[in-house]
């Protein structure tokens, strides 16, 4: 092999290396771009998930709220019945309110 052939082989090898290097750099840049884009989407999903979690964390407490509301409704029914009894008594009694203060009366 003469010097010219060796120089040509080295030149072609360096050109191929440069082309491969540029292609690899381009592909790595594209991978980095896509990774950042995916990370942005993941961040948006994470924020949305946290908002959903904050809005739904109190749902189990609604069971207790429903039980308390049922007790309140039952108490309100008793109060309504007592109020109706007082109204009936007041409409029929000419001595009210002194009769209520002075003696027991039944519903």
């Amino acid at each position: 092999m003469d010097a010219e052939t060796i120089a040509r082989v080295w030149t072609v090898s360096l050109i191929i290396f440069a082309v491969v290097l540029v292609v690899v750099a381009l592909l790595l840049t594209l991978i980095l771009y896509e990774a950042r884009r995916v990370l942005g989407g993941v961040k948006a999903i994470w924020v949305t998930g946290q908002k959903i979690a904050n809005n739904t964390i109190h749902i189990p407490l609604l069971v207790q709220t429903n039980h308390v509301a049922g007790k309140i409704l039952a108490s309100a029914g008793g109060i309504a019945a007592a109020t109706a009894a007082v109204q009936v008594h007041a409409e029929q009694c000419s001595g009210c309110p002194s009769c209520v203060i002075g003696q027991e009366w039944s519903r």
Side-chain angles (χ1 to χ4, degrees):
M1 268 195 190
D2 62 347
E4 186 178 316
T5 306
I6 293 172
R8 190 173 296 144
V9 169
W10 272 101
T11 305
V12 170
S13 297
L14 287 175
I15 291 172
I16 290 173
F17 172 75
V19 169
V20 170
L21 183 66
V22 169
V23 169
V24 169
L26 178 65
L27 290 175
L28 287 175
T29 303
L30 291 173
I31 289 171
L32 184 62
Y33 171 76
E34 288 300 319
R36 286 182 179 156
R37 195 172 68 84
V38 168
L39 183 61
V42 169
K43 285 180 182 179
I45 290 171
W46 178 257
V47 169
T48 303
Q50 286 180 329
K51 289 179 182 178
I52 290 170
N54 287 338
N55 288 333
T56 59
I57 195 167
H58 301 290
I59 288 176
L61 298 176
L62 290 177
V63 173
Q64 182 180 359
T65 302
N66 286 341
H67 289 301
V68 171
K71 290 178 183 179
I72 291 171
L73 181 60
S75 296
I79 292 170
T83 304
V86 169
Q87 181 180 4
V88 167
H89 176 82
E91 289 172 352
Q92 295 174 355
C93 180
S94 60
C96 270
S98 60
C99 74
V100 174
I101 295 172
Q103 62 183 357
E104 268 312 301
W105 56 278
S106 63
R107 295 181 217 183

